[in-house]
């Protein structure tokens, strides 16, 4: 994909001061090249199949490079009467954005008193909500589904947004970060007459942007990639999220590989764009989150 | 809503009283999260227990109490619930036993290959990490196509390289696990690799310098410095990977749809089938609790191991 071409620049940068070590590093480099080829092969095969005519897609011997490049698969998938990829993408975007905003807000409001205020029951409440991390999600699957039925929330965005929004890991993450902010800043603001809400808004949150962004990225990805819950709570084609919608294509186009691969390629595009934009946060967030040494 | 208006009133009320007293303020901050936490986390646990002890029939509108009937079904050999629940629980366990060592060892291997500077390091990191951002359905459809019985890329490559006949991966019991495991490794390896890379960056170089002054071989450095220094991360990676593997659902649903003859069906897929397809909500809720308890014991054991390791380390 698009990431394949640009990396020559960072590569040459890191190589320059160590050129004399190259021969010893050569085997390692070659192994990495082979592994990278293996990792990229499925993606290459997905895109190349999506550009083939149906006859070429299943031709033997296989066409490693598409002979007659066509965009018909993309056109047909995008205009299919069986479902609308753009609509599903929008649904996923809306649900993930709403979930992320709500989740980060709820976690920040909860983490703030737990980190910066003294009050009876503080530790008890913290450990109580934290202990819910031990409860596997499968335990609440059926009852939450019945609740959605009772609320008449099946086939609505509500079912996709509300149930997981008061997550607890985010509270833990933000609390740890808030506790590290120096007391002096807060006390100075208090002397100036700032209310606690102003302190949260003007001091704590601006200083916590990295951890807020990390939490937001993970919340967004979690919602965007959620599969099991939307699969059962949304059956109305127009309300589906992208991951679920794409599987309905895969059931319909079970032998039309060109269209199938065109639809998966299209479904992968938003994630790839997001990855390119958020790469820094994603990898650094992942390597610091939950790993306190 | 309550949050935005609440704090100002309490802060003005607090101003004239400097002596410490219980303020409502912190509780108002906790309230919105707490309400949703009770509604969607605490309440469903009790409600699920209630459902599992009654016969939930959406059509008849009455839910008679049946006690432990649905739990007994799970533990009574011969009932379809018992047969399929334990079969799919074993499937899931099998997947975990096979995939976790591969995912941990391969991630460590990749991280070691990428740890020291090398040409194209950023590119390689991106290539190995990228599959993880795809949703499970895209990943599943892609790997089903890769292992297609007739014209998948794997069979095509076998044909092109060794003139070997195609293997019906997806419809052969046992072999159907191959696309699921390979696809999962491709999909999740980058996450573990990133954790290992971060940990490798934290190992003090002076340890290696001291070891090489003492004449240690690279293998000895790896065995007596790298491995012990990475132990906390390794434990973390094993625990998170195992927990994720027990949640197996999307990969086998999309790649094999649990087949052939339920040989790759995960326990979560079976529970959702019992609940949503067969509309046996009470039975599915009971299975959710039994599997949940299984996971809880497993998690508790892992936490104990982690706690012990942290104490020793």
């Amino acid at each position: 994909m698009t990431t394949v071409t640009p990396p020559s620049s960072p590569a040459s940068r890191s190589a320059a001061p160590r050129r004399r070590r190259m021969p010893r590093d050569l085997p390692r480099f070659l192994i990495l090249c082979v592994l990278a080829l293996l990792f990229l092969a499925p993606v290459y095969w997905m895109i190349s199949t999506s550009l083939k005519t149906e006859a070429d897609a299943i031709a033997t011997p296989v066409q490693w490079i598409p002979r007659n490049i066509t965009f018909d698969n993309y056109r047909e998938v995008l205009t299919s009467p069986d479902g609308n990829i753009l609509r599903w993408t929008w649904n996923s975007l809306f649900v993930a954005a709403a979930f992320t905003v709500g989740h980060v807000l709820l976690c920040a409001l909860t983490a703030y008193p737990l980190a910066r205020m003294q009050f009876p029951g503080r530790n008890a409440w913290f450990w109580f909500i934290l202990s819910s991390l031990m409860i596997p999600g499968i335990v609440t699957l059926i009852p939450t589904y019945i609740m959605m039925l009772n609320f008449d929330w099946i086939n609505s965005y509500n079912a996709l947004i509300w149930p997981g929004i008061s997550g607890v890991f985010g509270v833990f993450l933000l609390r740890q970060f808030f506790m590290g902010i120096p007391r002096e800043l807060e006390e100075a603001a208090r002397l100036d007459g700032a209310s606690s809400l102003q302190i949260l808004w003007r001091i704590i949150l601006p200083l916590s942007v990295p951890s807020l962004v990390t939490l937001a990225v993970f919340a967004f990805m979690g919602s965007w990639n959620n599969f099991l819950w939307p699969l059962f709570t949304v059956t109305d084609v127009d309300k589906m999220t992208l991951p679920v919608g794409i599987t309905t294509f895969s059931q319909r186009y079970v032998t039309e590989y060109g269209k199938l691969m065109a639809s998966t390629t299209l479904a992968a595009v938003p994630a790839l764009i997001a990855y390119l934009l958020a790469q820094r946060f994603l990898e650094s967030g992942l390597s610091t989150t939950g790993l306190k040494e | 809503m309550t949050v935005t208006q609440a704090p100002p009133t309490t802060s003005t009320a607090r101003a004239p009283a400097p002596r410490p007293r219980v303020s409502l303020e912190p509780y108002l901050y906790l309230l919105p999260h707490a309400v949703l936490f009770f509604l969607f986390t605490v309440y469903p646990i009790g409600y699920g227990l209630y459902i599992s002890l009654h016969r939930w029939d959406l059509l008849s509108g009455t839910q008679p109490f049946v006690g432990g009937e649905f739990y007994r079904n799970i533990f009574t050999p011969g009932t379809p619930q018992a047969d399929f629940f334990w079969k799919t629980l074993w499937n899931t366990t099998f997947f975990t036993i096979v995939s976790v060592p591969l995912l941990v060892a391969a991630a460590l291997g990749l991280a070691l290959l990428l740890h020291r500077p090398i040409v194209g390091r950023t590119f390689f990191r991106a290539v190995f990490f990228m599959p993880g951002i795809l949703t499970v359905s895209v990943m599943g459809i892609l790997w089903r196509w890769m292992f297609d019985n007739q014209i998948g890329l794997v069979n095509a490559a076998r044909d092109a390289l060794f003139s070997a006949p195609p293997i019906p991966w997806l419809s052969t019991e046992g072999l159907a696990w191959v696309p699921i495991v390979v696809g999962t490794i491709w999909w999740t390896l980058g996450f573990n690799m990133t954790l290992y890379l971060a940990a490798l960056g934290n190992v003090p170089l002076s340890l290696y310098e001291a070891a090489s002054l003492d004449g240690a071989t690279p293998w000895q450095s790896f065995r007596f410095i790298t491995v012990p220094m990475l132990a906390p991360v390794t434990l973390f990676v094993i625990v998170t990977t195992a927990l994720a593997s027990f949640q197996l659902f999307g990969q086998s649903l999309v790649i094999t749809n649990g087949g052939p003859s339920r040989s790759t069906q995960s326990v979560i897929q079976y529970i959702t089938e019992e609940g949503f397809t067969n509309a046996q909500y009470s039975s599915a809720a009971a299975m959710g609790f039994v599997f949940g308890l299984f996971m809880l014991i497993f998690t508790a054991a892992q936490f104990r191991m982690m706690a012990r390791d942290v104490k020793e380390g």
Side-chain angles (χ1 to χ4, degrees):
Chain A
M1 347 211 100
T2 38
T3 40
V4 180
T5 33
S8 49
S9 48
S12 46
R13 196 169 0 105
S14 61
R18 300 185 169 257
R19 187 150 298 149
R20 62 189 176 81
R21 296 179 48 141
M22 229 358 243
R24 218 184 67 184
D25 282 341
L26 193 61
R28 190 157 66 97
F29 181 73
L30 290 177
I31 294 172
L32 283 168
C33 283
V34 171
L35 291 173
L37 268 179
L38 285 175
F39 264 70
L40 287 172
V43 176
Y44 169 77
W45 198 239
M46 171 172 83
I47 296 169
S48 103
T49 306
S50 74
L51 296 170
K52 291 176 188 169
T53 63
E54 208 47 60
D56 285 355
I58 57 169
T60 43
V62 293
Q63 286 180 20
W64 298 101
I65 298 161
R67 209 167 295 148
N68 314 301
I69 289 187
T70 168
F71 291 95
D72 283 359
N73 293 319
Y74 286 94
R75 213 188 53 230
E76 282 176 47
V77 160
L78 281 170
T79 58
S80 160
D82 297 324
N84 186 332
I85 287 193
L86 298 176
R87 169 89 205 180
W88 294 332
T89 308
W90 163 252
N91 290 345
S92 280
L93 266 178
F94 178 81
V95 166
F99 177 85
T100 303
V101 170
H103 180 66
V104 173
L105 193 72
L106 284 169
C107 288
L109 285 175
T110 306
Y112 175 48
L114 290 177
R116 319 279 310 187
M117 294 178 185
Q118 289 297 334
F119 57 93
R122 183 181 81 150
N123 289 334
W125 179 251
F126 177 65
W127 286 108
F128 176 65
I129 61 173
L130 207 62
S131 66
S132 72
L133 287 175
M134 296 279 287
I135 307 292
I138 189 74
V139 167
T140 53
L141 177 71
I142 299 289
T144 314
Y145 179 82
I146 304 275
M147 285 168 73
M148 297 298 110
L149 284 172
N150 294 341
F151 292 0
D152 205 11
W153 276 4
I154 297 295
N155 279 319
S156 84
Y157 290 152
N158 283 330
L160 302 182
I161 294 170
W162 290 105
I165 206 163
S166 63
V168 165
F169 181 71
V171 174
F172 175 73
L173 186 80
L174 293 185
R175 176 182 168 270
Q176 300 302 101
F177 197 90
F178 291 174
M179 288 202 307
I181 294 171
R183 290 263 165 214
E184 293 77 36
L185 292 170
E186 195 178 333
E187 272 150 24
R190 254 191 215 290
L191 286 177
D192 290 343
S195 70
S196 68
L197 197 64
Q198 283 169 325
I199 289 170
L200 173 64
W201 186 250
R202 300 254 172 84
I203 296 172
I204 306 281
L205 291 184
L207 287 171
S208 312
V209 168
S211 63
L212 293 172
V213 171
T214 302
L215 179 61
V217 167
F218 280 101
F220 193 92
M221 278 190 44
S223 174
W224 179 272
N225 287 334
N226 201 359
F227 180 62
L228 190 157
W229 181 248
L231 182 67
F232 296 109
T233 48
V234 177
T235 49
D236 182 346
V237 173
D238 279 344
K239 297 273 173 52
M240 283 177 180
T241 55
L242 193 57
V244 178
I246 287 303
T247 54
T248 67
F249 268 175
S250 95
Q251 285 147 14
R252 207 144 303 172
Y253 298 149
V254 75
T255 53
E256 292 174 86
Y257 297 101
K259 281 182 205 154
L260 208 49
M261 290 302 117
S263 61
T264 51
T265 306
L266 285 171
V269 165
L272 285 176
I273 293 172
Y275 171 67
L276 293 177
L277 292 176
Q279 184 181 7
R280 209 158 45 95
F281 291 116
L282 263 177
E283 293 195 35
S284 68
L286 177 66
S287 50
T288 50
T289 310
L291 265 186
K292 290 193 73 77
E293 292 184 54
Chain B
M1 283 304 114
T2 43
V3 209
T4 41
Q5 25 183 259
T9 45
T10 41
S11 58
T12 47
R14 197 169 42 89
R19 68 198 164 80
R21 62 180 193 132
V22 177
S23 156
L24 262 182
E25 200 176 35
Y27 303 105
L28 290 170
Y29 280 104
L30 295 178
L31 190 65
H33 181 275
V35 168
L36 289 164
F37 180 76
F38 267 108
L39 185 61
F40 291 118
T41 304
V42 179
Y43 174 71
I45 297 171
Y47 190 40
L49 196 63
Y50 181 85
I51 291 170
S52 71
L53 297 174
H54 293 69
R55 185 186 302 281
W56 217 263
D57 188 342
L58 291 178
L59 296 178
S60 82
T62 57
Q63 296 98 24
F65 178 78
V66 294
E69 183 189 316
F70 291 110
Y71 292 93
R72 273 195 302 276
N73 281 346
I74 299 171
F75 294 96
T76 308
T79 64
Q81 282 81 10
D83 288 354
F84 297 147
F85 179 81
W86 295 107
K87 180 180 172 65
T88 55
L89 183 57
W90 163 247
N91 290 345
T92 307
T93 311
F94 172 80
F95 170 77
T96 306
I97 294 171
V98 172
S99 67
V100 171
L102 291 172
L103 278 167
V104 175
L108 176 59
L110 266 191
L112 288 171
L113 283 171
L114 275 176
H115 172 52
R116 282 179 293 131
I118 193 153
V119 181
R121 192 174 171 208
T122 317
F123 166 71
F124 287 125
R125 280 182 68 137
V127 165
F128 299 136
F129 186 80
M130 214 177 36
I133 60 166
L134 299 177
T135 103
V136 68
S137 44
V138 167
M139 166 266 174
I141 295 168
L142 179 52
W143 281 93
R144 197 177 72 202
W145 167 226
M146 292 288 290
F147 278 90
D148 187 278
N149 285 353
Q150 295 304 318
I151 31 113
L153 185 63
V154 174
N155 279 334
R158 281 167 47 82
D159 184 38
L161 296 173
F162 318 111
S163 305
I167 294 176
W169 301 97
L170 301 179
S171 52
T172 309
E173 263 189 57
L175 285 183
W177 279 110
V178 175
I180 296 170
V181 171
V182 171
T184 303
I185 289 173
W186 177 81
W187 188 43
T188 55
L189 195 57
F191 282 101
N192 289 351
M193 173 198 78
T194 305
L195 294 175
Y196 268 125
L197 276 173
L200 280 169
N202 289 337
V203 179
L205 282 177
S206 54
L207 288 178
Y208 294 106
E209 281 155 14
S212 80
L213 283 179
D214 289 345
T217 63
W219 167 251
Q220 284 171 325
S221 290
F222 174 75
R223 174 70 189 80
F224 295 110
I225 299 173
T226 313
V227 170
M229 290 298 283
L230 290 184
V233 197
T234 300
L235 196 63
F236 181 83
V237 169
I238 291 174
V239 170
T240 52
T241 309
L243 284 174
S245 298
F246 272 116
Q247 309 286 337
L248 173 69
F249 175 73
Q251 297 102 299
S252 60
L253 180 84
V254 179
I255 296 175
T256 60
N257 197 15
S261 54
R262 290 188 201 266
S263 65
T264 60
Q265 191 176 40
S266 67
V267 66
I268 291 186
Q269 193 189 342
Y270 176 61
I271 293 173
T272 59
E273 179 192 312
E274 176 80 348
F276 302 129
T277 313
N278 304 341
Q280 296 295 316
Y281 298 108
S282 300
S283 174
M287 287 174 195
F289 269 99
V290 175
F291 181 52
L293 192 67
F294 176 88
M295 292 282 290
L296 200 64
I297 294 168
F298 178 79
T299 316
Q302 305 279 19
F303 270 100
R304 263 184 72 112
M305 273 176 63
M306 282 179 93
R308 200 182 55 202
D309 189 83
V310 167
K311 242 183 281 168
E312 285 170 3

